Amino acid sequence: MKKLIGTLLISAITTISMAQAWEKNDISVDVYYGYVGPGLILRAIDELSGDNIAGEAYNPKTTVIGPVGLRAQYMVANKFGIGLDVNYETKTGTWNEGISEYNTITGFYDYSNYAASYSVTKLKVMLRTSWEFVNTDKFTMNWANSIGYKAGTRTLDAGGSDNLGIDLSGSVSPIAFRTALGARYFITDNINIHADGGFFGGGWITGGISYKL
């Protein structure tokens, strides 16, 4: 009897330890939202108030949306997947620009303010590989690397742009890449919540929900 119970326990433990959330040929679809900082230029805009004649009316504000992303992954092996990662983000800075014009009639300078803005948009499409170095029935961890194409624009609407000392208009770099460490917790066999932290090509931290087909 003891031998039978021991055999059953060993069998149960072995079954549990071998259970894996990811198996070869699995397909998953992720949606996520991330956090990314406003960027050096937008922070510089925030710091210009002391140099801008708009004074207290300078009123700089920054808004960041995204990255908002969609990701698909196909498991070519139990611990290795390939897929596609697409995300979009936009950053905007607004402020009141102060300008002065010499009035030839009065002999004095006339000061006025007008709304100015700087915005950056980025759309990234990247090929992604993921090594699932932890793969249990409920919890997984991965190291992912992505590379691909990035499209976007930088738009400056400010007559006094010389204050910034840099040309802000034009397109963004066309190359996107990212490296990140991530984790997932499977709520059911098919649904999981996930998060990762990484550099470049997306948010510093991202999180969302996924469905395994």
Side-chain angles (χ1 to χ4, degrees):
M1 185 64 178
K2 290 182 179 180
K3 187 175 181 179
L4 176 60
I5 293 174
T7 301
L8 291 174
L9 285 174
I10 292 172
S11 177
I13 292 171
T14 302
T15 300
I16 292 172
S17 64
M18 292 181 63
Q20 299 179 85
W22 294 125
E23 295 181 350
K24 184 178 179 180
N25 297 324
D26 280 346
I27 298 173
S28 66
V29 178
D30 304 349
V31 291
Y32 64 87
Y33 190 89
Y35 169 78
V36 65
L40 294 176
I41 299 300
L42 294 185
R43 282 199 293 271
I45 289 171
D46 275 346
E47 295 170 359
L48 283 174
S49 55
D51 301 322
N52 192 296
I53 63 174
E56 293 182 1
Y58 180 65
N59 193 29
K61 297 178 181 178
T62 58
T63 303
V64 180
I65 299 175
V68 181
L70 181 65
R71 189 163 52 212
Q73 176 172 284
Y74 171 74
M75 298 299 297
V76 297
N78 287 8
K79 290 196 173 185
F80 187 77
I82 60 173
L84 192 67
D85 189 348
V86 179
N87 66 62
Y88 173 84
E89 68 182 68
T90 178
K91 304 175 184 178
T92 303
T94 60
W95 69 99
N96 291 316
E97 182 76 16
I99 60 173
S100 63
E101 295 179 335
Y102 182 73
N103 189 320
T104 57
I105 298 175
T106 64
F108 295 99
Y109 282 92
D110 294 329
Y111 295 91
S112 60
N113 300 325
Y114 68 91
S117 67
Y118 168 61
S119 64
V120 182
T121 63
K122 297 178 183 179
L123 174 66
K124 307 178 191 74
V125 181
M126 299 177 289
L127 179 67
R128 180 176 181 271
T129 61
S130 179
W131 172 41
E132 307 287 335
F133 57 87
V134 174
N135 186 14
T136 68
D137 62 332
K138 290 291 185 182
F139 182 75
T140 70
M141 292 188 68
N142 68 83
W143 176 36
N145 292 281
S146 310
I147 188 167
Y149 176 71
K150 177 172 59 179
T153 58
R154 305 176 189 271
T155 304
L156 176 65
D157 181 11
S161 59
D162 288 345
N163 287 344
L164 305 179
I166 189 172
D167 180 11
L168 300 179
S169 59
S171 60
V172 302
S173 169
I175 300 174
F177 61 95
R178 177 173 174 78
T179 184
L181 289 174
R184 297 174 185 267
Y185 178 75
F186 281 77
I187 302 171
T188 70
D189 290 341
N190 301 101
I191 299 174
N192 68 77
I193 54 176
H194 59 87
D196 71 23
F199 301 97
F200 317 109
W204 299 342
I205 299 174
T206 71
I209 192 166
S210 175
Y211 185 78
K212 185 173 75 172
L213 304 178

